[in-house]
Amino acid sequence: ALLVPVEQNVGLDMVPFLANVVHTLLHSAPRKQGMHELGSSAPDWVLRALASVVRQLARLICERRRLRLPGLRRAEAEGRRCRVDEAGESLSKTERSGDRTPGGTSETRSCVAVYLLGQMKDWGEERRSNGFFLSDLGVVFDEDAEPVEDDADEEGERAAASLGKPARHSLFSRERRIASSVLLWARHHLQAPSALRRHLAHVAVVHALTVLSTRAKELLPHVHDVWPSVLPSFEASAPLSVQADACILLQHAARLSGDFVRQRFASECWPGLWVQLRSAPAVLQSKAAAWSPQLKAQLATLNALCFLAGDPALVDGVAEQVLVIGIKFCTEGVADRLRDCAWRLLRSLAAEDP
């Protein structure tokens, strides 16, 4: 119970401490007889602590990225600061749903939420190429790109890495090693029987990918590694809360590697989402205050579709079905937040094909 609050209040200077915490948790987690996944029977608090570690690292990295963006520095000068999330084990409601709280009032957004959603102007330009925001490169994505060095230098880097030292010219090598360990462990829990474990695993993967995004060469193999474990979360039979988490992860993966998602969204993700969105009634405004799992799932899915539709190549082949969903959710009486997403989705589709 005490570990998570401690993790949430450390800085980048305490990364060695976090590395020791992760190492201890991963190597002390028990194994189930006959299973190869490390920590397959670990208690929930272990997964919660690991998710908290990568969430804190993601927050610190996003804070550092924030300082590199002139628009956000101007916002700070005007007194509008990014808020740090207080929930250690889950994505905040803001990260799940956009700009407003369930009651509809405005709130400042965490730096992690701003990054994940790509909603701040500096981080969310309209034009993208292969899913990447062109302005992200070298600023809030791949800012710690692998340097080009000769063979002797590479040998020295490998020797340093074997001793647990950060690579020369590398800003976040230790952070990425932590994120890699957590992601490769958490992927085995993405389809756990417990809804809580599945949720925490999705949270851990999302934030681990944020940390790994500081170097594209290390990020993309991890996206490939975790993807097969994510796919069942998009099935129509998956719990609504799991679908909501999966859509947040999908949006994040598209932000980091649109080319990867473009090759898989229509065939692997969309069928289950299409069945769920087509068959389930849209949540009405009169029931929105309850903040039900159905509303969370529909909102997360529409948010992801809005993001994907910004790059027509990502929804190629399913644009007509996406249009049908947009029309369904923009009708009178539907929850305001769902209608807002639906209208944004329709505008994105119309902008590409009037």
Side-chain angles (χ1 to χ4, degrees), residues 267-283:
S267 60
E268 298 178 355
C269 307
W270 179 244
L273 298 178
W274 164 244
V275 170
Q276 188 63 250
L277 291 172
R278 181 187 58 189
S279 59
V283 176

Side-chain angles (χ1 to χ4, degrees), residues 241-271:
S241 59
V242 172
Q243 281 193 352
D245 289 334
C247 286
I248 294 171
L249 202 160
L250 170 65
Q251 180 174 339
H252 194 35
R255 175 153 172 65
L256 299 174
S257 181
D259 187 58
F260 176 88
V261 172
R262 178 176 58 185
Q263 299 174 35
R264 293 162 176 80
F265 173 69
S267 60
E268 298 178 355
C269 307
W270 179 244

Side-chain angles (χ1 to χ4, degrees), residues 124-142:
E125 292 182 357
E126 293 290 334
R127 289 178 297 174
R128 301 201 292 270
S129 175
N130 289 333
F132 291 110
F133 291 91
L134 299 181
S135 61
D136 281 357
L137 298 178
V139 181
V140 293
F141 176 76
D142 201 30

